[in-house]
């Protein structure tokens, strides 16, 4: 979906991402418990991407899990986050200008891996659906050596 990531660290882990062309991210975060945890981008900001040099929407991103190789831990931490922040998620869902909310799981696809199986438990799927959150699974190809660096 999005041609930019707000964090500059590893892509693996789990994040909550919300965006919209007229989303006033600063106004949302003013009274949000996520104010300190959120990374933001504003429509028009430089992206560092040659094909799309400026952000076409405003967005916020919250790192939910740093776990790179343990998807079960990501799922557990994401479920706990969704349960703990139900009222703030409802506020985000109904906030003017928010067009998309995404829960993004990221993992590594190592060389010589035959399959990557990821099962999402009903509790997580139900919580995400209740808050209008799209669940994305991003698997990044890599060598074990490049992840270790």
């Amino acid at each position: 979906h999005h041609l930019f990531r707000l964090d500059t660290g590893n892509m693996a882990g789990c994040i909550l991402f919300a965006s919209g062309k007229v989303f006033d991210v600063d106004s949302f975060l003013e009274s949000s418990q996520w104010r300190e945890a959120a990374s933001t981008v504003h429509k028009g900001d430089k992206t560092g991407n040659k094909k799309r040099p400026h952000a076409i929407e405003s967005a916020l991103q919250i790192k939910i899990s740093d776990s790179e190789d343990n998807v079960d831990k990501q799922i557990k931490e994401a479920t706990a986050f969704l349960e703990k922040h139900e009222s703030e998620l409802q506020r985000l869902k109904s906030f003017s200008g928010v067009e998309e909310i995404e829960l993004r799981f990221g993992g590594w696809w190592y060389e010589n891996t035959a399959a990557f199986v990821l099962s999402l438990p009903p509790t997580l799927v139900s919580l995400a659906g209740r808050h209008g959150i799209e669940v994305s699974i991003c698997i990044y190809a890599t060598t074990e050596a490049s992840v270790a660096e």
Side-chain angles (χ1 to χ4, degrees):
H1 287 55
H2 307 283
L3 293 178
F4 62 90
R5 288 187 57 86
L6 302 180
D7 63 331
T8 55
N10 283 326
M11 296 177 281
C14 180
I15 61 166
L16 180 74
F17 187 87
S19 63
K21 288 182 178 64
V22 295
F23 175 28
D24 184 348
V25 66
D26 295 326
S27 178
F28 175 81
L29 288 173
E30 263 177 30
S31 61
S32 176
Q33 57 196 355
W34 300 332
R35 188 173 49 254
E36 300 300 320
S39 306
T40 61
V41 68
H42 300 86
K43 185 176 178 179
D45 284 355
K46 291 183 179 183
T47 64
N49 182 317
K50 288 182 183 179
K51 290 185 180 183
R52 186 169 290 159
H54 296 89
I56 60 168
E57 56 191 5
S58 294
L60 65 81
Q61 175 176 294
I62 300 164
K63 186 86 151 179
I64 294 174
S65 176
D66 285 326
S67 182
E68 294 185 12
D69 285 328
N70 187 338
V71 177
D72 289 338
K73 185 176 179 190
Q74 287 183 32
I75 290 170
K76 187 180 219 177
E77 291 175 343
T79 302
F81 180 90
L82 295 178
E83 289 172 338
K84 179 180 178 183
H85 297 283
E86 286 204 64
S87 61
E88 192 68 347
L89 289 164
Q90 281 302 319
R91 189 171 87 85
L92 179 63
K93 177 183 176 183
S94 62
F95 197 83
S96 178
V98 174
E99 296 173 23
E100 180 178 24
I101 307 172
E102 176 185 4
L103 185 63
R104 188 181 303 166
F105 293 91
W108 301 117
W109 183 278
Y110 295 107
E111 298 171 291
N112 303 319
T113 301
F116 188 99
V117 178
L118 179 61
S119 298
L120 300 176
T123 304
L124 175 72
V125 174
S126 176
L127 283 165
R130 183 180 321 150
H131 299 296
I133 300 171
E134 175 181 311
V135 177
S136 299
I137 301 162
C138 305
I139 308 301
Y140 304 98
T142 189
T143 63
E144 288 192 47
S146 66
V147 171
E149 292 173 357

